[in-house]
Amino acid sequence: MSIWEYANPKKFMQTSSWALPWVTGLAIAALLGGLIWGFFFTPDDYKQGSTVKIIYIHVPAAMMAINIWVMMLVTSLIWLVRRHHVSALAAKAAAPVGMVMTLIALFTGAIWGQPMWGTWWEWDPRLTSFLILFLFYLGYMALWEAIDNPDTAADLTGVLCLVGSVFALLSRYAVNFWNQGLHQGASLSLDEKENVADVFWYPLLLCIAGFILLFLTLVLIRTRTEIRARRLAALEARERMA
């Protein structure tokens, strides 16, 4: 079976209908398990106190904000090269979720940063690149709404995805590119000195899994809605012509 079979709207709807309840159930279980474990069954940090527990929301949201844009880039490239409508609609469906994840990362980062840095906002390389990424999400969504022809909108938003990917990469690696700035290094790292302690690590991994599954749930629901909306628009156009 070829993976391209799932680019067929009918095949996608059938498969997603079967998978959606399972993905939703796993998302709820992972999120509840990870957040309850992290907030109520881990100790306070010796430096940051209880504020460290915002890591269970901030880090997964920040990771998803970047990776959702990467997913949009891949699906947009599939549309530009192979003209599969499901891939374009999946990118469109993912954008609002990515925008919300970026907003959550910025908001929780401000709450975490205020007691640690003494300020709600700093023009730090990673913070600034995340703000620009948030604006790209808004621009992507606005471009879809501004163009009536869906194929033209998919083409132009695909190009926008290519440009915005620069800032998605900067958001991920800004701390490595520049030494200045208040933001610490990666919380998840192969370097034992940088990586969080195991007591925080395991519930954090569960929260990340929950956020990934939550994204899959939302993008499946929204893509199915976009496909139905496209079918409805086609039927209405056919009736007007008749």
Side-chain angles (χ1 to χ4, degrees):
M1 179 182 293
S2 171
I3 191 173
W4 301 115
E5 290 184 22
Y6 295 96
N8 179 281
K10 184 178 180 180
K11 180 69 173 179
F12 175 85
M13 293 293 282
Q14 291 174 344
T15 305
S16 60
S17 177
W18 170 86
L20 193 54
W22 293 96
V23 177
T24 303
L26 289 172
I28 294 172
L31 279 174
L32 286 178
L35 292 175
I36 292 172
W37 184 2
F39 279 105
F40 298 105
F41 296 98
T42 58
D44 294 346
D45 184 67
Y46 74 101
K47 285 185 178 180
Q48 302 183 45
S50 61
T51 58
V52 73
K53 296 186 178 183
I54 205 168
I55 193 174
Y56 302 114
I57 297 176
H58 176 72
V59 170
M63 291 179 64
M64 293 309 302
I66 299 167
N67 289 313
I68 289 172
W69 190 275
V70 174
M71 171 265 181
M72 290 164 55
L73 171 65
V74 172
T75 51
S76 295
L77 288 174
I78 292 173
W79 160 256
L80 292 172
V81 174
R82 300 186 68 101
R83 313 305 283 184
H84 289 313
H85 284 91
V86 171
S87 61
L89 295 178
K92 181 183 180 183
V97 184
M99 183 271 292
V100 172
M101 291 292 181
T102 310
L103 188 60
I104 291 173
L106 288 169
F107 183 71
T108 54
I111 295 175
W112 196 359
Q114 203 284 328
M116 295 299 103
W117 302 343
T119 179
W120 295 98
W121 179 263
E122 178 73 19
W123 291 102
D124 176 276
R126 179 170 283 187
L127 271 66
T128 304
S129 60
F130 250 83
L131 177 60
I132 296 172
L133 180 61
F134 174 71
L135 297 176
F136 265 98
Y137 271 117
L138 292 180
Y140 179 94
M141 293 161 59
L143 189 57
W144 263 106
E145 295 299 323
I147 301 173
D148 292 332
N149 187 295
D151 288 355
T152 303
D155 289 338
L156 294 178
T157 52
V159 174
L160 182 62
C161 258
L162 288 171
V163 178
S165 297
V166 174
F167 291 96
L169 289 173
L170 286 177
S171 300
R172 172 62 182 85
Y173 296 106
V175 174
N176 299 333
F177 292 157
W178 295 285
N179 291 325
Q180 72 269 23
L182 295 176
H183 201 286
Q184 70 271 20
S187 299
L188 301 178
S189 171
L190 296 177
D191 188 339
E192 293 184 0
K193 294 181 179 179
E194 288 190 7
N195 196 39
V196 297
D198 286 349
V199 68
F200 303 115
W201 164 269
Y202 294 115
L204 178 57
L205 288 181
L206 190 56
C207 287
I208 290 171
F211 269 73
I212 293 171
L213 290 166
L214 175 63
F215 165 68
L216 289 175
T217 299
L218 294 176
V219 81
L220 285 175
I221 292 172
R222 288 185 51 80
T223 304
R224 288 169 60 85
T225 302
E226 292 290 343
I227 291 173
R228 291 190 179 105
R230 180 71 66 93
R231 288 175 175 173
L232 180 61
L235 289 173
E236 290 176 346
R238 190 180 303 170
E239 287 182 1
R240 285 195 297 269
M241 292 179 64

